[in-house]
Amino acid sequence: MTVLEQPGSYRPTPPPAWRPRTDPAPLLPDAEPYRLLGTDAVADADPGLLLRLYAELVRGRRYNAQATALTRQGRLAVYPSSTGQEACEIAAGLALADQDWLFPSYRDTLAVIARGVDPVEALTLLRGDWHTGYDPGEHRVAPLCTPLATQLPHAVGLAHAARLKGDDVVALAMVGDGGTSEGDFHEALNFAAVWQAPVVFLVQNNGFAISVPLAKQTAAPSLAHKSVGYGIPGRLVDGNDAVAMHEVLTGAVERARAGGGPTLIEAVTYRVEAHTNADDATRYRTDAEVEAWRAHDPIDLLERELRSRGLLTDDVTTEARDAAERMAARLRERMNADAALDPMDMFAHVYAEKTSQLQEQAAQLRAELDAELDAEEER
Amino acid sequence: MTTAAIPTTRKAGRKPASMAQALTSALRDAMTDDPTVHVMGEDVGSLGGVFRITDGLAKEFGEERCTDTPLAEAGILGTAIGMAMYGLRPVVEMQFDAFAYPAFEQLISHVSRMRNRTRGAMPMPLTIRIPYGGGIGGVEHHSDSSEAYYMATPGLHVVTPATVADAYGLLRASIASDDPVVFLEPKRLYWSKADWSPEQPEQVAPIGRAVVRRTGRSASLITYGPSVPVCLEAAEAARSEGWDLEVVDLRSLVPFDDETVCASVRRTGRAVVVHESTGFGGPGGEIAARITERCFHYLEAPVLRVAGFDLPYPPPMLERHHLPGVDRVLDAVARLQWEADWTSEPGRGGAERLAGGAH
Ligand SMILES: Cc1ncc(C[n+]2csc(CCOP(=O)(O)OP(=O)(O)O)c2C)c(N)n1
């Protein structure tokens, strides 16, 4: 009897390996983004943490404003602002222990400085005097990454290597909503899951990849849902709720540290500024949309909680604002000083030792520079 | 096409060994000497790689040091970058030349420039082993010669052995290098043999040194990898026509050994560059230009190229028409005498001779 003669009666029994290996239900994210601010559950949040987050958010916003202003003065080549996304940035910067590693994208300067990197060095790439201004090993912060999602497999490899060496190290990798469409996003999540690497993937869904809205990026119910196919948990969080972000990120970091493997977190947030200072956001979105999101501002949300607890005293706001102003003034001052560049540095770091080809080219540039100096002296 | 054996000096206690065996020995010795050396790629574990180069390594060193990865080249190279950032020395196997292309983004945007981006703070001690080239009857995507892409990327070393001894020595040097090395394995030489002892591997010059495989006076054949035996055979064949050919094996495309190449061309006054990869935009153009810039007054004839045709690698039943073989090399050598034709009537002399069926 063939299968065709008996429609409906044929029930193939797949070999065991074909069956789903884990129950997907525990991996699924919540239907709604996880929130603490404005709910009863926030009562458990430590006042010290709330105040720390507040000071960092205020400083972060000021940094974004100052950096954007510096682009107008020609002191920075470009700046992708994270205004509106500070809660994600700061929570990411604070969730890690000293020995852990952060893998940021070009928008994540605030997370980088929250790790302790010098605010001027964090801007080197965007200023244009070198590609990376800090030593990645010193603060355990990878270079700001421009090609989308390519830093994610690096985070997996580093975390995997650390675990092979027996070190207690977690890697936190940041990517945008657009970046989740890249092949490297998929490959990184898959490697991390197969290797059970101690990695946390943080997607900042800020609504747009330059001008392209999320609906044109993916048909998934949420970006957090993408985790299920890899066999790792997905979490959906309100990215403007600094306390919720901190809790979910810290939880995922601790889970990874304890050997629980990777987590994918989608922070739902909004980019209130344009993609960069060079972008015109009015071409792809309305003011009304932006205003609606401004009403859900991460600093306002936290201020409300601080106020209801009586923690938002004049002292607190003044101190946060003054600290932010001091930082901005230092930034302005240092960015207004001309960069000291040695063109010979171009040849210094291509290989451990210059090839004979590079030696010849370096000699050529040296001669050109010397000739320029001589000409200046004659004048 | 036949390939001549590359002459080696017979030493006591040496038995014939293949290039594949020498590569395996190099990996094993590197892993033994340095616990940070990790081998990773598709099927490199229990299978030992599709060419068996990693045979036995997973058993000997454990799956954590010889790892079967998921099937994803960008993922393999991307995670290897992270491992190198944490102080390991990954040796990545790309299964075949054309399957390395998905990893190009990681190679070009990160591997090659991490040292530069970080002002030297973050070197990339990575070795990327890529079996390359044709002549094994592979179907589509199994025979590409991609060296020009790698050569065009600053920050990468590009090396390719042609002998059993070099396969061992250059792979050890690549793994020991603090810079990333694209290690191109001429897959049709995997089974070529020479007298060689895994216990006493001979010293090989560091990366960046070419070697004169055969001395001669009348012209230099500049070549590398799978074309080295072809050129040696051509040199033997040319003897009967009165040509005494020198054969230079580059071994390293980046860095390029201008010194050895130019010394040879200055001695002989004539040069032919021979490789499998395409001629247009291929490595031969760069090499010919370097020779012309440095040896113009020594040259008796234009520097010629014998290369693969400028087409996607052909199907296996046609590859013998594509691969530069001994006859094509000899034909080029014959053209070296025609410098008057070449220079007085550009485009005519060679074309006529080709139309006359001379090759
Ligand atoms: C591989 C790659 N393709 C294209 C670009 C150009 N590009 C820069 S940012 C961007 C949009 C990214 O959007 P998203 O991932 O959502 O991050 P966001 O900028 O919103 O933080 C694009 C297309 C790039 N940087 N890398």
Side-chain angles (χ1 to χ4, degrees):
Chain A
M1 197 187 308
T2 70
V3 173
L4 286 178
E5 285 164 19
Q6 291 272 311
S9 71
Y10 177 60
R11 290 274 178 281
T13 315
W18 292 10
R19 295 201 190 101
R21 270 163 280 191
T22 42
D23 175 7
L27 306 178
L28 278 165
D30 297 336
E32 281 298 309
Y34 178 69
R35 246 174 223 124
L36 282 172
L37 289 172
T39 72
D40 294 343
V42 77
D44 295 338
D46 160 33
L49 173 69
L50 298 183
L51 289 167
R52 171 102 199 265
L53 288 171
Y54 177 73
E56 290 279 348
L57 289 184
V58 170
R59 190 172 81 119
R61 173 134 323 164
R62 186 68 187 91
Y63 187 92
N64 278 330
Q66 185 58 61
T68 305
L70 286 165
T71 62
R72 293 199 200 101
Q73 296 154 22
R75 285 292 175 185
L76 276 180
V78 65
Y79 186 72
S81 168
S82 60
T83 295
Q85 302 178 222
E86 293 93 341
C88 307
E89 295 282 321
I90 300 307
L94 301 188
L96 296 172
D98 273 357
Q99 74 274 19
D100 296 336
W101 275 74
L102 180 77
F103 286 77
S105 85
Y106 51 84
R107 198 179 295 285
D108 303 321
T109 325
L110 293 190
V112 169
I113 60 173
R115 286 282 286 163
V117 172
D118 177 293
V120 172
E121 290 182 358
L123 283 176
T124 302
L125 170 84
L126 302 164
R127 187 187 199 189
D129 37 350
W130 200 263
H131 303 308
T132 303
Y134 47 91
D135 175 349
E138 196 185 331
H139 296 282
R140 285 147 314 274
V141 177
L144 290 171
C145 187
T146 312
L148 296 169
T150 53
Q151 74 279 19
L152 306 182
H154 307 174
V156 177
L158 183 134
H160 176 64
R163 212 179 43 163
L164 289 177
K165 284 193 172 180
D167 294 348
D168 168 26
V169 170
V170 175
L172 170 58
M174 304 175 74
V175 67
D177 44 300
T180 65
S181 299
E182 291 277 1
D184 278 20
F185 172 82
H186 160 74
E187 297 188 27
L189 263 75
N190 194 47
F191 269 69
V194 170
W195 287 350
Q196 285 294 289
V199 189
V200 178
F201 299 98
L202 170 60
V203 180
Q204 289 181 76
N205 170 9
N206 63 9
F208 293 90
I210 308 188
S211 66
V212 180
L214 186 69
K216 290 190 184 172
Q217 205 65 247
T218 180
S222 79
L223 296 171
H225 273 81
K226 294 193 177 219
S227 69
V228 180
Y230 304 104
I232 65 176
R235 303 292 312 270
L236 190 61
V237 197
D238 182 340
N240 288 17
D241 181 335
V243 191
M245 280 303 301
H246 186 267
E247 185 187 293
V248 171
L249 277 167
T250 327
V253 167
E254 284 322 312
R255 184 174 169 275
R257 201 182 298 291
T263 308
L264 172 65
I265 298 168
E266 174 186 353
V268 183
T269 181
Y270 195 79
R271 193 193 75 208
V272 295
E273 305 286 344
H275 172 65
T276 66
N277 55 295
D279 170 45
D280 173 11
T282 62
R283 297 177 72 104
Y284 53 84
R285 66 188 189 188
T286 62
D287 287 348
E289 180 182 303
V290 181
E291 285 319 306
W293 273 95
R294 280 194 200 276
H296 192 64
D297 183 87
I299 300 184
D300 292 350
L301 292 182
L302 187 56
E303 278 188 354
R304 240 174 273 160
E305 175 62 26
L306 290 173
R307 197 173 292 122
S308 76
R309 290 200 192 187
L311 291 170
L312 195 73
T313 60
D314 284 351
D315 280 358
V316 165
T317 47
T318 313
E319 170 51 27
R321 227 170 275 154
D322 288 355
E325 281 313 321
R326 282 195 300 274
M327 178 275 303
R330 266 200 313 275
L331 196 59
R332 275 196 309 273
E333 196 180 307
R334 287 175 63 194
M335 297 299 277
N336 282 328
D338 287 327
L341 297 177
D342 181 359
M344 296 311 291
D345 269 1
M346 290 197 296
F347 296 99
H349 310 292
V350 186
Y351 298 98
E353 278 170 43
K354 284 188 202 68
T355 62
S356 58
Q357 286 79 44
L358 282 180
Q359 279 169 18
E360 279 173 24
Q361 292 162 22
Q364 180 194 340
L365 181 63
R366 177 81 273 160
E368 287 171 13
L369 293 171
D370 288 347
E372 264 176 36
L373 272 184
D374 288 350
E376 260 166 45
E377 265 165 35
E378 267 171 41
R379 242 182 279 133
Chain B
M1 177 180 47
T2 55
T3 48
I6 291 168
T8 51
T9 43
R10 185 169 276 279
K11 289 195 190 142
R14 310 225 149 176
K15 287 198 285 279
S18 68
M19 181 183 281
Q21 285 167 328
L23 291 168
T24 310
S25 286
L27 290 173
R28 177 177 296 114
D29 291 354
M31 290 176 91
T32 304
D33 289 357
D34 181 352
T36 66
V37 175
H38 282 243
V39 169
M40 55 199 283
E42 294 157 13
D43 304 293
V44 298
S46 51
L47 183 68
V50 292
F51 291 107
R52 307 290 183 272
I53 307 298
T54 58
D55 197 16
L57 300 180
K59 207 174 212 177
E60 193 172 336
F61 298 98
E63 282 175 29
E64 302 207 310
R65 290 191 59 201
C66 179
T67 309
D68 275 333
T69 61
L71 216 168
E73 291 73 16
I76 294 168
L77 193 52
T79 51
I81 292 170
M83 291 164 72
M85 288 170 92
Y86 205 76
L88 301 184
R89 281 184 186 269
V91 182
V92 162
E93 175 171 309
M94 293 287 156
Q95 204 155 61
F96 278 92
D97 31 52
F99 303 144
Y101 302 153
F104 252 52
E105 161 71 345
Q106 289 292 348
L107 186 70
I108 274 72
S109 291
H110 295 294
V111 171
S112 67
R113 52 177 105 184
M114 191 67 88
R115 172 187 288 281
N116 187 258
R117 292 169 75 202
T118 62
R119 263 189 226 253
M122 195 152 263
M124 278 284 115
L126 260 168
T127 303
I128 302 145
R129 296 181 35 242
I130 308 179
Y132 84 119
I136 60 155
V139 295
E140 196 181 8
H141 301 303
H142 290 78
S143 302
D144 285 18
S145 295
S146 340
E147 56 268 32
Y149 306 140
Y150 305 119
M151 286 171 73
T153 304
L156 300 177
H157 289 306
V158 185
V159 306
T160 177
T163 68
V164 174
D166 276 7
Y168 180 90
L170 288 177
L171 186 51
R172 290 298 307 263
S174 301
I175 297 171
S177 168
D178 283 336
D179 284 320
V181 182
V182 175
F183 189 86
L184 296 168
E185 300 177 0
K187 61 173 98 74
R188 79 170 130 130
L189 298 185
Y190 269 150
W191 304 281
S192 66
K193 291 198 168 176
D195 285 333
W196 187 76
S197 160
E199 284 78 39
Q200 302 166 271
E202 55 253 56
Q203 281 269 281
V204 164
I207 290 172
R209 303 307 302 183
V211 62
V212 176
R213 291 273 174 225
R214 182 190 195 284
T215 52
R217 284 175 299 108
S218 34
S220 302
L221 302 179
I222 315 294
T223 188
Y224 56 87
S227 297
V228 171
V230 175
C231 287
L232 287 169
E233 194 177 331
E236 280 306 306
R239 259 210 313 217
S240 61
E241 293 183 35
W243 284 96
D244 179 20
L245 298 178
E246 182 146 310
V247 177
V248 179
D249 174 1
L250 293 172
R251 304 202 280 203
S252 164
L253 298 170
V254 182
F256 187 86
D257 186 354
D258 287 302
E259 204 182 314
T260 302
V261 170
C262 291
S264 171
V265 175
R266 285 175 185 174
R267 272 195 302 273
T268 62
R270 292 178 168 85
V272 182
V273 186
V274 184
H275 58 62
E276 281 186 20
S277 126
T278 52
F280 191 86
E286 172 62 31
I287 296 168
R290 303 188 81 79
I291 293 173
T292 309
E293 284 170 358
R294 287 165 178 74
C295 310
F296 185 70
H297 295 291
Y298 296 82
L299 287 173
E300 307 281 345
V303 181
L304 301 183
R305 284 169 293 167
V306 176
F309 294 130
D310 300 326
L311 35 83
Y313 198 86
M317 289 167 83
L318 294 172
E319 67 178 343
R320 69 189 178 87
H321 300 293
H322 168 75
L323 287 174
V326 171
D327 288 350
R328 244 175 242 166
V329 177
L330 291 175
D331 182 58
V333 170
R335 267 155 51 207
L336 287 175
Q337 291 173 308
W338 288 23
E339 67 274 20
D341 283 11
W342 274 97
T343 46
S344 60
E345 285 184 81
R348 280 205 65 218
E352 266 174 18
R353 182 163 162 78
L354 287 174
H359 93 131

